[in-house]
Amino acid sequence: MQTVETVIETNELAQVINCWLSTLSTDNRVLFLRRYWFGDAVYMLANECGISANKMAGRLYRLRQSLKKALEMEEISL
Amino acid sequence: MKEKKIFDALTEVREEYIEEARTTQLKRQPKGWKKWTAIAACAVIVFGISGVLLFQNFFPFGGSTGSGGAGHGENSTFMSYAGPVFPLTLSKSDNSITANRSVLYDFSLPNEDSIRVWGANVRDRYTLSNSSTEEKIIEAIYPFAGSFNQLHEQMPAITVNGQEALPTLYAGGYSGGFTGVYGGNDPDASFNILQLDSWEGYKSLLEDGHYQSSAFALYPVLSQEVAVYTFTYFEAPDEYDAATQAISFTIDPDKTTILQYGFNGGEIGVDGFRRYSYFVPNGMSRGKRGNDTKLLIVIGDDITDYTLQGYKNGACERGNELEGVSATVTRQVRVMSDVINELIDDFFDQYGDGNSLAVSQDMFLGAVSEFMVQYGVLSESVRDRYQHGMVEDIISEANNLKRVFYLKFEVTIPAGGSVPVTADMHKEPSYDFACSSSDNKGIQGYDMVTRLGSNLYFDALTAELTSTDNIEIVRQNYGFSLSQEVTKVELDPTQEHYYLEIRLVEH
């Protein structure tokens, strides 16, 4: 059940996420969506990039922190 | 809820980005970067609980961007399948009881603030008739598809003879299966969730009656004693935001099984070597325990010796060690179900976002125990997804994954008489993700099955639509015609499946 408020909140959040995605390099954008939209496993992404799963997790962590910062800059709290 | 907001927002990600992600190969790092030294013989796993939990409800479990739109028969296969409306059944078959059934779909706006119809209020009404010469007291069972985490919204309200019934709830096990990784080609892999995506899937699940009888059986009790290693009083130098504490030891995998809770990474060596690591809470010194519960549960032979080592970040590699990282480790022998019960509390404290369980904790503990025995490290056939023994995964997925619930209640029908029984519920639609390229974006699907899992004889079946001002019918096999105001139809009770697909109309 969606109210007007939640739809507006979702749209605002979506706009910020889209805007933030546009600031990323193609590789980072693809990585973020492969993990959090398509649900690919960390180790699988790590294999594809030829790096360790630990390093991949670090890269994803930095991306999440970057998104968090972008949301905070827009004063969006979750 | 946080994850719901993120999920909703992610569905609005631009389609070109999704397509880009779907078709673009990630760049490989130069080979010189690879440092497979001490960990060369190990599988290194990062337990992505923080990320996965945040987004878990939003992944296309059971579907993908390419899976929508296609049909079987003339109806669609949706990326998110809500499951059909099931028929009433009896705990024991009784030839003297027959039923008339009428199903009403109400598409009115949920409330005056709502801007769109999402889901339908369904009234599934039965008139049960007793043709015998004696009064019958029967146990009726009403099945519905759902999950523990949405049970508050999904639970049907049952009335018998106009009076609210107080049914007993039973939960079947996880209704779906598992599959390999996206793009992988191992048919036996079980890394990902594969939820049911069609009524035929439910037919396969339910038609032999085994699933339902298992739902009414007792849950397994995890009564074994286990050694529990609890980590508290974390310390790390302030300047290292991602300071990591690792514990390593060697086990005989045939004699020892490890469950973990609160850890972020690990390594599993073929020789029995194990390393589990976590980011020191907040990355700064803590003189007392925070809200981060971290423990290892050892089943079978206990670990005999372990090493603690701090690292500057999550890379637990030689050269990356860090002094000044510590924790207090305490060992207790406890009954496993007690430990899991506490972890369920902790899990909902940390990730529940204020939402409470819709069932008793005993029932949910039973469902978690069952999930662990069926699919987790206690299973004879451990699914790849759970091989690392993360208790969070088990609790989370027992909570989130779809299953069939059953409401059991008593009905007294006088000799030669009839009694009305009604199930009222809000039924979420089946749908394709808004960010997909599917032709079915914006379409809501509603399935109904007429006989599946039921031992009742239905001598009449009707269906009706109300509050249709905001919808138009895209596909159906009922025979409704909104333009000709045909909103009530008689159906063939022997036809197994009816479907209705609608979209919203702009006024």
Side-chain angles (χ1 to χ4, degrees), chain A residues 27-54:
Chain A
D27 212 41
N28 275 336
R29 187 164 55 239
V30 168
L31 176 63
F32 182 85
L33 291 172
R34 286 277 299 279
R35 178 75 185 110
Y36 298 119
W37 206 100
F38 290 94
D40 287 358
V42 173
Y43 75 89
M44 198 178 80
L45 296 167
N47 282 346
E48 194 172 326
C49 290
I51 61 175
S52 72
N54 267 334

Side-chain angles (χ1 to χ4, degrees), chain B residues 249-503:
Chain B
F249 48 85
T250 299
I251 60 166
D252 178 345
D254 292 333
K255 296 178 178 173
T256 300
T257 300
I258 306 288
L259 286 168
Q260 54 169 315
Y261 184 88
F263 285 76
N264 308 108
E267 298 173 28
I268 294 180
V270 290
D271 56 354
F273 175 77
R274 298 285 186 274
R275 173 153 47 204
Y276 298 92
S277 61
Y278 58 82
F279 293 116
V280 177
N282 285 356
M284 61 186 71
S285 298
R286 280 195 164 182
K288 60 178 183 171
R289 183 178 175 178
N291 193 30
D292 293 83
T293 306
K294 300 182 186 304
L295 55 84
L296 295 176
I297 301 170
V298 181
I299 305 166
D301 287 2
D302 200 359
I303 53 179
T304 51
D305 197 12
Y306 62 81
T307 304
L308 292 172
Q309 177 65 56
Y311 294 92
K312 294 172 183 170
N313 50 46
C316 301
E317 298 171 344
R318 195 167 294 168
N320 199 37
E321 295 92 344
L322 177 65
E323 294 300 316
V325 178
S326 68
T328 300
V329 184
T330 53
R331 176 186 178 278
Q332 288 178 294
V333 174
R334 302 188 60 195
V335 174
M336 187 160 165
S337 59
D338 293 344
V339 184
I340 299 298
N341 211 21
E342 286 177 12
L343 293 182
I344 289 171
D345 276 338
D346 188 87
F347 181 87
F348 281 99
D349 280 349
Q350 290 201 46
Y351 306 111
D353 218 9
N355 295 303
S356 59
L357 276 170
V359 298
S360 70
Q361 182 141 335
D362 277 352
M363 182 178 189
F364 188 67
L365 171 64
V368 169
S369 305
E370 179 186 67
F371 198 91
M372 199 172 278
V373 169
Q374 285 184 334
Y375 307 116
V377 293
L378 300 181
S379 169
E380 290 177 2
S381 173
V382 183
R383 301 305 191 272
D384 296 332
R385 187 175 181 84
Y386 309 118
Q387 61 186 314
H388 306 305
M390 290 183 71
V391 180
E392 296 97 325
D393 278 356
I394 299 291
I395 297 173
S396 168
E397 300 202 338
N399 191 37
N400 294 335
L401 295 182
K402 285 201 179 77
R403 58 186 75 229
V404 178
F405 291 95
Y406 297 89
L407 292 171
K408 186 154 92 173
F409 51 97
E410 208 170 78
V411 182
T412 302
I413 315 175
S418 298
V419 168
V421 172
T422 302
D424 285 302
M425 72 199 112
H426 182 76
K427 185 71 182 166
E428 291 278 305
S430 304
Y431 63 95
D432 279 359
F433 298 112
C435 48
S436 69
S437 54
S438 161
D439 292 338
N440 270 346
K441 274 190 299 185
I443 292 179
Q444 302 179 20
Y446 300 90
D447 273 357
M448 178 183 73
V449 287
T450 59
R451 294 181 298 165
L452 180 58
S454 181
N455 53 23
L456 270 169
Y457 174 77
F458 294 92
D459 49 23
L461 173 61
T462 60
E464 186 175 0
L465 304 179
T466 61
S467 304
T468 55
D469 290 350
N470 295 305
I471 66 160
E472 64 182 1
I473 295 173
V474 179
R475 282 176 285 271
Q476 60 161 325
N477 66 345
Y478 282 88
F480 295 122
S481 173
L482 297 185
S483 60
Q484 295 176 34
E485 299 183 345
V486 179
T487 56
K488 187 170 184 177
V489 290
E490 289 194 11
L491 304 174
D492 176 3
T494 64
Q495 179 166 325
E496 285 187 284
H497 168 236
Y498 285 90
Y499 64 91
L500 174 68
E501 296 176 21
I502 60 121
R503 71 158 62 96

Side-chain angles (χ1 to χ4, degrees), chain B residues 147-218:
Chain B
S147 55
F148 280 109
N149 68 329
Q150 293 183 41
L151 205 48
H152 283 298
E153 298 84 30
Q154 294 165 334
M155 184 101 77
I158 306 289
T159 60
V160 176
N161 228 348
Q163 302 293 311
E164 183 186 355
L166 296 173
T168 306
L169 179 72
Y170 296 83
Y174 166 47
S175 54
F178 298 87
T179 186
V181 294
Y182 178 77
N185 55 8
D186 180 357
D188 298 323
S190 50
F191 289 100
N192 280 336
I193 291 294
L194 186 66
Q195 302 227 57
L196 296 181
D197 66 354
S198 67
W199 79 274
E200 290 98 331
Y202 281 93
K203 183 178 177 183
S204 300
L205 180 76
L206 300 176
E207 65 184 349
D208 69 0
H210 179 71
Y211 180 92
Q212 180 177 321
S213 59
S214 298
F216 288 92
L218 294 175

